[in-house]
Amino acid sequence: MPFPVPDPIRDLAELDAMFAAPATPSIRKVTAQLTPAYRRMIEASPFFALATSGPRGLDCSPRGDAAGFVRIADESTLLLPERRGNNRIDSLRNLVSDPRAALMFLIPGLSEILRINGHAFLSRNRELCDSFQVNGSAPKIVIVFQIDAVMFQCARAIVRSRLWDQALHRTPGELPTAGSMLADATAGEEGGSAYDAALPERIRTTLY
C-alpha cells in the first residue's frame, strides 16, 4: 500500500492560502534570456543537473566537466555536450518525446544556484559534436537547449545544507560504495568488492 498522505492539499487555492505573495525580487530576477551576470555563472560552473520528462517517467541526472564545458551559443541558446556515460540515456530518450527540460547549475563554494527552464533538442551533427572533443574523443550527441526562463536561486538551501562545509564532507568507507549498492540492488548477483576495486580504473579509461 502507498504511504498515506496526511491532510493532503488538493487544489491551488488551498496552497496559495498558506503562503504570502513572493517578494518583488523573486519575480523580477526571472529573465527570458541570459544577462551578463547569468552568463558568467554558467561559464564558471563545472556541474549541472538536467531534469526531463517522458512517457517512461521523470529523470534528473548529473552532468559535469571542466568549468566552461557548457557553450553559450547566444543569449537564448546553450550547447550541452553529452559526455560518455552508462548508455542508459534516460534523459535523451525523454527529450525525443518531450523537449521540455530544466537545468540547475552549481558552482563549488558559491551559495547561489542558477536555474534555467526551456526546451532541449538532440543534434548528431558531426561538426558540432567534433567541436566538443576532449582528449580526442567527441560526444555522439550535443543537446541544443533553448532558454525560456532563467533565474538565480538564493542561498538558503546551500546555507542550510552546509554543502560546501568541508567539516561535513564524508570520507570513503562511511557510506555504501558503488559495489555495495549494486550488490544490494541485485541481491548479490553483481557488484561487491571486485566491482569497487575495478571502478577507479574503469572511470579513468572511459571518462571521455
Side-chain angles (χ1 to χ4, degrees), residues 8-19:
I9 297 171
R10 301 193 183 279
D11 62 54
L12 289 178
E14 291 180 272
L15 180 63
D16 288 341
M18 297 179 64
F19 294 88

PDB file of all heavy atoms in Angstrom, residues 8-19:
ATOM      1  N   PRO A   8      -3.876  16.068   3.022  1.00  0.00           N
ATOM      2  CA  PRO A   8      -3.343  16.489   1.724  1.00  0.00           C
ATOM      3  C   PRO A   8      -3.922  17.818   1.242  1.00  0.00           C
ATOM      4  O   PRO A   8      -5.038  18.195   1.592  1.00  0.00           O
ATOM      5  CB  PRO A   8      -3.756  15.348   0.801  1.00  0.00           C
ATOM      6  CG  PRO A   8      -5.009  14.815   1.425  1.00  0.00           C
ATOM      7  CD  PRO A   8      -4.794  14.928   2.907  1.00  0.00           C
ATOM      8  N   ILE A   9      -3.155  18.519   0.434  1.00  0.00           N
ATOM      9  CA  ILE A   9      -3.607  19.728  -0.258  1.00  0.00           C
ATOM     10  C   ILE A   9      -4.042  19.310  -1.654  1.00  0.00           C
ATOM     11  O   ILE A   9      -3.273  18.687  -2.393  1.00  0.00           O
ATOM     12  CB  ILE A   9      -2.481  20.773  -0.330  1.00  0.00           C
ATOM     13  CG1 ILE A   9      -2.106  21.212   1.079  1.00  0.00           C
ATOM     14  CG2 ILE A   9      -2.889  21.956  -1.192  1.00  0.00           C
ATOM     15  CD1 ILE A   9      -0.866  22.064   1.140  1.00  0.00           C
ATOM     16  N   ARG A  10      -5.251  19.688  -2.036  1.00  0.00           N
ATOM     17  CA  ARG A  10      -5.824  19.161  -3.273  1.00  0.00           C
ATOM     18  C   ARG A  10      -6.063  20.207  -4.349  1.00  0.00           C
ATOM     19  O   ARG A  10      -6.406  19.858  -5.485  1.00  0.00           O
ATOM     20  CB  ARG A  10      -7.127  18.417  -2.979  1.00  0.00           C
ATOM     21  CG  ARG A  10      -6.944  17.256  -2.005  1.00  0.00           C
ATOM     22  CD  ARG A  10      -8.150  16.352  -1.962  1.00  0.00           C
ATOM     23  NE  ARG A  10      -8.008  15.281  -0.979  1.00  0.00           N
ATOM     24  CZ  ARG A  10      -7.338  14.158  -1.185  1.00  0.00           C
ATOM     25  NH1 ARG A  10      -6.749  13.962  -2.356  1.00  0.00           N
ATOM     26  NH2 ARG A  10      -7.245  13.243  -0.242  1.00  0.00           N
ATOM     27  N   ASP A  11      -5.897  21.478  -4.039  1.00  0.00           N
ATOM     28  CA  ASP A  11      -6.059  22.470  -5.115  1.00  0.00           C
ATOM     29  C   ASP A  11      -5.164  23.676  -4.834  1.00  0.00           C
ATOM     30  O   ASP A  11      -4.664  23.870  -3.717  1.00  0.00           O
ATOM     31  CB  ASP A  11      -7.519  22.886  -5.296  1.00  0.00           C
ATOM     32  CG  ASP A  11      -8.110  23.565  -4.075  1.00  0.00           C
ATOM     33  OD1 ASP A  11      -7.522  24.561  -3.600  1.00  0.00           O
ATOM     34  OD2 ASP A  11      -9.166  23.105  -3.593  1.00  0.00           O
ATOM     35  N   LEU A  12      -4.962  24.476  -5.860  1.00  0.00           N
ATOM     36  CA  LEU A  12      -4.044  25.606  -5.777  1.00  0.00           C
ATOM     37  C   LEU A  12      -4.514  26.669  -4.798  1.00  0.00           C
ATOM     38  O   LEU A  12      -3.691  27.345  -4.169  1.00  0.00           O
ATOM     39  CB  LEU A  12      -3.847  26.219  -7.166  1.00  0.00           C
ATOM     40  CG  LEU A  12      -3.045  25.383  -8.156  1.00  0.00           C
ATOM     41  CD1 LEU A  12      -2.959  26.087  -9.508  1.00  0.00           C
ATOM     42  CD2 LEU A  12      -1.646  25.112  -7.620  1.00  0.00           C
ATOM     43  N   ALA A  13      -5.822  26.847  -4.685  1.00  0.00           N
ATOM     44  CA  ALA A  13      -6.334  27.859  -3.754  1.00  0.00           C
ATOM     45  C   ALA A  13      -5.910  27.535  -2.325  1.00  0.00           C
ATOM     46  O   ALA A  13      -5.520  28.424  -1.555  1.00  0.00           O
ATOM     47  CB  ALA A  13      -7.851  27.956  -3.865  1.00  0.00           C
ATOM     48  N   GLU A  14      -5.993  26.259  -1.944  1.00  0.00           N
ATOM     49  CA  GLU A  14      -5.561  25.856  -0.608  1.00  0.00           C
ATOM     50  C   GLU A  14      -4.077  26.128  -0.415  1.00  0.00           C
ATOM     51  O   GLU A  14      -3.637  26.598   0.640  1.00  0.00           O
ATOM     52  CB  GLU A  14      -5.815  24.363  -0.409  1.00  0.00           C
ATOM     53  CG  GLU A  14      -7.267  23.954  -0.314  1.00  0.00           C
ATOM     54  CD  GLU A  14      -7.388  22.456  -0.110  1.00  0.00           C
ATOM     55  OE1 GLU A  14      -7.434  21.723  -1.116  1.00  0.00           O
ATOM     56  OE2 GLU A  14      -7.405  22.012   1.059  1.00  0.00           O
ATOM     57  N   LEU A  15      -3.313  25.809  -1.434  1.00  0.00           N
ATOM     58  CA  LEU A  15      -1.869  26.008  -1.347  1.00  0.00           C
ATOM     59  C   LEU A  15      -1.517  27.487  -1.246  1.00  0.00           C
ATOM     60  O   LEU A  15      -0.732  27.904  -0.385  1.00  0.00           O
ATOM     61  CB  LEU A  15      -1.187  25.388  -2.562  1.00  0.00           C
ATOM     62  CG  LEU A  15       0.335  25.515  -2.636  1.00  0.00           C
ATOM     63  CD1 LEU A  15       0.994  24.786  -1.468  1.00  0.00           C
ATOM     64  CD2 LEU A  15       0.840  24.970  -3.965  1.00  0.00           C
ATOM     65  N   ASP A  16      -2.094  28.281  -2.119  1.00  0.00           N
ATOM     66  CA  ASP A  16      -1.785  29.717  -2.129  1.00  0.00           C
ATOM     67  C   ASP A  16      -2.149  30.384  -0.810  1.00  0.00           C
ATOM     68  O   ASP A  16      -1.488  31.337  -0.376  1.00  0.00           O
ATOM     69  CB  ASP A  16      -2.523  30.409  -3.280  1.00  0.00           C
ATOM     70  CG  ASP A  16      -1.932  30.059  -4.640  1.00  0.00           C
ATOM     71  OD1 ASP A  16      -0.774  29.598  -4.679  1.00  0.00           O
ATOM     72  OD2 ASP A  16      -2.630  30.235  -5.659  1.00  0.00           O
ATOM     73  N   ALA A  17      -3.195  29.890  -0.165  1.00  0.00           N
ATOM     74  CA  ALA A  17      -3.633  30.488   1.099  1.00  0.00           C
ATOM     75  C   ALA A  17      -2.611  30.286   2.212  1.00  0.00           C
ATOM     76  O   ALA A  17      -2.625  31.006   3.212  1.00  0.00           O
ATOM     77  CB  ALA A  17      -4.981  29.908   1.506  1.00  0.00           C
ATOM     78  N   MET A  18      -1.699  29.350   2.054  1.00  0.00           N
ATOM     79  CA  MET A  18      -0.725  29.039   3.095  1.00  0.00           C
ATOM     80  C   MET A  18       0.533  29.909   3.010  1.00  0.00           C
ATOM     81  O   MET A  18       1.321  29.931   3.948  1.00  0.00           O
ATOM     82  CB  MET A  18      -0.326  27.560   3.013  1.00  0.00           C
ATOM     83  CG  MET A  18      -1.467  26.603   3.269  1.00  0.00           C
ATOM     84  SD  MET A  18      -0.931  24.875   3.122  1.00  0.00           S
ATOM     85  CE  MET A  18       0.246  24.768   4.469  1.00  0.00           C
ATOM     86  N   PHE A  19       0.731  30.602   1.896  1.00  0.00           N
ATOM     87  CA  PHE A  19       1.970  31.343   1.677  1.00  0.00           C
ATOM     88  C   PHE A  19       1.689  32.789   1.327  1.00  0.00           C
ATOM     89  O   PHE A  19       0.715  33.106   0.645  1.00  0.00           O
ATOM     90  CB  PHE A  19       2.782  30.698   0.543  1.00  0.00           C
ATOM     91  CG  PHE A  19       3.292  29.320   0.873  1.00  0.00           C
ATOM     92  CD1 PHE A  19       2.506  28.203   0.625  1.00  0.00           C
ATOM     93  CD2 PHE A  19       4.544  29.141   1.434  1.00  0.00           C
ATOM     94  CE1 PHE A  19       2.959  26.926   0.922  1.00  0.00           C
ATOM     95  CE2 PHE A  19       5.019  27.873   1.736  1.00  0.00           C
ATOM     96  CZ  PHE A  19       4.216  26.768   1.486  1.00  0.00           C
TER      97      PHE A  19
END
